[in-house]
Amino acid sequence: MRIALLSRTHAGAMGVLFGLTLSACLLVAALPRAMQGSFDAALRQSLRAAPAVQADLTVTVAPTRPAEDLHERGQFTTRDDRWREILPPALRPLVVPAGSGAGHMSAKTELTPVQGTGGQTYINLGWLSDMDRRVDWVRGHAPGAPGTMRWEGDSIPVFEVGVVDEAMSDMNLQLDQVKVLGEDHYVAVKIVGAFKAKDPSDRYWSHNQDILHVSRLLPPGKQEFEKHITTLMADPGLAVLDSFGRNLSYNWVLPINAARASALAAPDVDAGITEFARLLTLQSTSSAAPYRLLTGLPKLLDDFLAALTTAQTVMYLVLGGLLAVAIGVIVLAVQLLADRLDGTLALVRARGGSLRQVAGTGAALTAVAVVPAGLAGYALSALVPGPVLPIVHLGPALVVGCAVGFAAARLALTHRTPLHERRGDVTAARPSAKRVTLEVLVVVLALAGAYLLRTRDVTSRGLDPFLLLVPVALTLAAALVTLRCYPYPLRLLVRLTSRGRAAVPFLGLTRAARARSAAVLPVLILLPALAVSVFAAVVSDGIASTQRLASWQTVGAPIRMTSEIEIPADAIERVRRTPGVEQVVPAQTGRVQVGFGAERAEAIAVDLAGWQRLLDGAPISLPAEPAGGAGTPALVSPELRGRGAFEIGWQSRVKVATAGVVDVVPGFYTKGKFLVLPLEALTRPAVNTLLVKGDADPAALAEAVPSARVESQRAVLDAIQSDPLTATVRTTLLVVTVALAGYALVAVIVSLVLGAADRAGALAFLRALGLSDRQARRLTVLEILPMIVMTALAGLGLGLALPAALGPGVDLSSYAGDLPVSAYALDPLTPTALAAGLAAVAALGAYAHTAISRRRSLGAVLRVGDLT
């Protein structure tokens, strides 16, 4: 047959099919690429945000005998080359080349006490392979070769070292000063220079904080802090440095290039780290001092994969629904084209055409529309950045294959016998017992799956097939229930309208109730479309509200200013006078002694009533001001409950009485031991925290109190929402919601067109009997709207129920500031807009249909003998 001629004849149906296929192939090919690209961006951002000491790979060994000591740079370099040589294939692309990035080698001692300090001062020896590239000498000079000196009758080595400049005053050190280190195997250091880091913000220094800053440690049971610093020595010092009598470790840092990380390769990287750690132990020359791998990368990957699993689950749920609905709408368009071809192909079949010829003609004509559209959608998806997943190739192929396959199968089934006649007077066929049993089984299994999904323990990592199948089963069950049950309320309405005098309601509802299953099935595409779009809207709204709640719980106020030292009264006044500030609530926080022992707790002294006024309109609230009693009333955490009245040490001894229990203090404490006191309970409050309400500029507030760190609820919320993974989830949900709403509207329009011929014939008969145009429009609306309304209600109900049905299987806390998303409150605007849009399109379609039918003469619709 002449395919080109048929294409021109049915250009309208071909155009609809082309447009639907193009949009479907573009969405199913582009969205997975965008999703995977955002997954990669999220992983790279998490690796960049993590400290380098956590993200990088560090090989370390602590020698225990002289044969294991390394005394020259070449020994370090040889081992560095060996570590890179045995890297598993999954890790090699991630590790930066030697000598670049933060890669370096080091030797350090730990807990090396200074003689005469009573164990309060520790100066450790350190060596960095790239010291010259990392520091600038601001005083003195760079260290040189070590010397010797006499100490307690023995000759001990003297290392020339440099110290970070801040440690010179902090630890009371001076240039050319000599300090003796150790407890038995003594060495000495001579401080010959002070340095500063060339770039203190470089990730490199995450591995060497002990060199760049003085560490203060409070040993258990002591009141004074220990001070620790690691010095720097030159290469010649390695020849003298040994492990005898000291805690010495050698380290090789292999930095990770975050830009080359891939979410798809994350599980392989995790396995590669385990394999690398195993290979390192095989390189050890002593079981007492094995080579070990130190890294927090597995924890970072585990956290990311946990969030990724949830994102993938939600994404595949909505994308699967989108694909199913898109294919369903395309099938409707194919059915529209097949109906247009019905007369032509019936004539061909009657004239001796084979069934293969008829089916092949329909498939070829469909392919003319869908194959170019599929290729165009697939090509346009290449403009979207992101890795190419198998679904990118398979999705468009599946859409095109379903369209062509349905066209061939539908025409082959319709024209299996020549001159086929279809009975128009048969209203419904009674379903067989097998079919009823199968449908009941589907409904029971769907409900059982939803119950098990909520009650079972979800501990597996990766995509959960059970989690993906249950929503599909629930959608299929809802469709079956809607399909079987919708005629019954309509038949009840038919009985009620049959008692009235108006014929239009009776005729319209009767035609709706007697619609055959084949006529009803196209409209049921609306059910998954509405269910998935409402589900996406509910999840998106739930994430948005929980994100806002998380930002308020993180900060505890519109703006919070915290300082490690007391904020002076004049600085507080400057904050009050800052433009945009409406209210300021001062507070003091600190760590207090509970009782008279070593027990400690966190405490905050604040005016709770003023703080509550400051939070007016926020989604968080504070407990009521504690009532007075025998002592200062205090709210305590659950860990401190049941103690009645007790004393705390905070500036002075304060006797507090438990006036209530509070689980969290927003912005400050969420667990552990803590208590809340009135600010006036302190003899002289040393304010170190300011809670600010208003729209003030954070930079102006920071200028008013230079020692304070300024955090705003708005900035925290922006940080949560700007996370690539979170942004992708919400963007994809929005795109899918809009796309499904569009497909639902198209499904309504196509279903109207599919039944146009039958409806036109019925209206022609009724017009011959005196039906007016107004009555014709009402009759058409009453025929169409019931099924759309029933399907819309079922779809909305299923979409609202899906988040609760999925239960703990979908943990969205990773996208909401680590707060569980449990309150799925839907804005009424979404279901109202969807239902109103579908109803409006159906009504407009009905009016358009009657307007078109009115222009057609009865002779064009009725045949000779139809009225006799």
Side-chain angles (χ1 to χ4, degrees), residues 748-801:
V748 172
I749 296 172
V750 174
S751 63
L752 285 171
V753 177
L754 279 172
D758 181 64
R759 196 175 302 111
L763 290 177
F765 276 108
L766 294 174
R767 278 203 182 96
L769 297 177
L771 185 73
S772 67
D773 291 340
R774 181 178 179 183
Q775 289 175 322
R777 288 193 294 268
R778 291 175 55 198
L779 188 148
T780 305
V781 170
L782 286 173
E783 178 186 349
I784 295 170
L785 276 185
M787 189 58 207
I788 293 178
V789 171
M790 293 290 293
T791 308
L793 292 176
L796 290 173
L798 180 60
L800 292 171

Side-chain angles (χ1 to χ4, degrees), residues 13 86 283 289 328 415 461 540 554 561 601 624 717 722 730 810 841 848:
I86 65 173
Q283 310 299 316
H415 298 278
R461 189 176 72 181
S540 182
T554 299
M561 305 175 64
L717 179 59
S722 63
R730 297 203 63 192
V810 178
V841 169

Side-chain angles (χ1 to χ4, degrees), residues 512-529:
R514 292 185 177 185
R516 295 174 300 176
S517 296
V520 172
L521 285 174
V523 186
L524 287 181
I525 294 174
L526 297 175
L527 194 144

Side-chain angles (χ1 to χ4, degrees), residues 1 14 22 55 75 98 121 158 243 266 306 387 390 403 423 434 444 542 575 617 645 669 692 793 805 814 840:
M1 297 184 67
M14 295 283 287
L22 174 63
Q75 294 176 300
T121 304
V158 179
S243 59
R423 295 283 303 276
K434 291 182 178 180
V444 172
V575 171
Y669 316 120
V692 181
L793 292 176
S814 302

Side-chain angles (χ1 to χ4, degrees), residues 371-391:
V371 171
L375 293 175
Y378 177 76
L380 289 175
S381 70
L383 301 177
V384 178
V388 179
L389 303 176
I391 187 63

